[in-house]
Amino acid sequence: MRDTIHKKPGRSGGLFGATLGAAAAGATLVVMFWMPAEYGIDPTGVGGVLGLINMGEAKQRLEAEQNMGTDPMLAEVLARLDRIEALLTVDQPPVEEVDGWRDSFSYALAPGQGFEVKLTMEAGQVAGFEWQADGAVYVDMHGDSASQEHSYAIQDSSLADDGTLTAAFTGNHGWYWRNRTDQTVTVALQTRGDYGRMLHP
């Protein structure tokens, strides 16, 4: 007598449920992280908390410059990642001013490269600044937050600037420079006044 083995038919519901779960998880990642980081669109507000929306907005500015004939560089991508890391770090106590300046920073820009320095500021706070470059650079002085953007001044070609920056709203306010020459250009910035901290690459 031969034994007969009966197999129960497999259930397709488990695979279907897993597929739906994976699709939902993927959609969540796209909305919460990819859209803010790539396009500056933040429907959930998570991108603003994590600083991803700043990266998305910077990318949109770079793409706008691309349309005018400027090619992006790998160093800019790395600089954006460094800015996100700076935003996620714990606030440090203010540094005492030296020679009237509280913070100073310099950065060497390769041809075509751009970088950004921001000050965390509350609405109405005033910061003094002075910057110089040893070659002509494009500069955009602006502010941004999770819900607002404001442009203070844009110069297509400049070697230096100084003055005060009054925060139009609570957020990050500062400068974006791009070297549009075929030589390395160093930008040096000094700041003082009423702000939380300096964020830079």
Side-chain angles (χ1 to χ4, degrees):
M1 180 177 177
R2 189 173 58 183
D3 292 333
T4 302
I5 299 174
H6 296 282
K7 294 183 179 179
K8 294 183 178 179
R11 289 170 45 188
S12 61
L15 178 59
F16 182 70
T19 302
L20 285 180
T28 300
L29 291 174
V30 166
V31 172
M32 294 178 66
F33 302 104
W34 187 74
M35 286 174 62
E38 289 296 316
Y39 298 105
I41 300 171
D42 189 20
T44 65
V46 173
V49 173
L50 297 179
L52 296 176
I53 194 166
N54 295 330
M55 186 170 73
E57 290 167 351
K59 181 171 183 177
Q60 294 307 304
R61 283 197 298 274
L62 286 176
E63 288 180 353
E65 287 196 6
Q66 269 187 294
N67 294 334
M68 294 187 294
T70 304
D71 293 327
M73 297 185 67
L74 176 61
E76 178 59 22
V77 175
L78 297 176
R80 279 185 258 153
L81 292 175
D82 289 339
R83 288 197 296 275
I84 290 173
E85 188 173 301
L87 289 170
L88 296 175
T89 58
V90 178
D91 283 339
Q92 300 296 321
V95 179
E96 293 184 10
E97 293 188 4
V98 178
D99 296 329
W101 296 104
R102 177 173 155 187
D103 286 299
S104 60
F105 180 75
S106 63
Y107 196 88
L109 288 167
Q113 184 182 3
F115 85 110
E116 191 170 50
V117 174
K118 292 287 186 66
L119 306 177
T120 60
M121 301 176 74
E122 300 292 325
Q125 286 187 323
V126 180
F129 70 90
E130 177 182 293
W131 67 264
Q132 298 179 6
D134 58 7
V137 291
Y138 165 89
V139 60
D140 176 4
M141 187 167 73
H142 63 281
D144 58 66
S145 70
S147 60
Q148 299 182 76
E149 287 188 15
H150 179 73
S151 180
Y152 297 103
I154 294 177
Q155 300 175 69
D156 286 327
S157 181
S158 182
L159 291 170
D161 195 11
D162 63 86
T164 58
L165 191 163
T166 303
F169 50 81
T170 299
N172 300 323
H173 303 264
W175 305 262
Y176 171 79
W177 292 273
R178 176 171 285 278
N179 177 6
R180 289 180 167 167
T181 73
D182 58 1
Q183 302 291 328
T184 298
V185 173
T186 299
V187 177
L189 169 70
Q190 298 181 104
T191 58
R192 61 187 166 203
D194 197 11
Y195 61 91
R197 62 191 175 119
M198 176 184 284
L199 307 174
H200 56 73

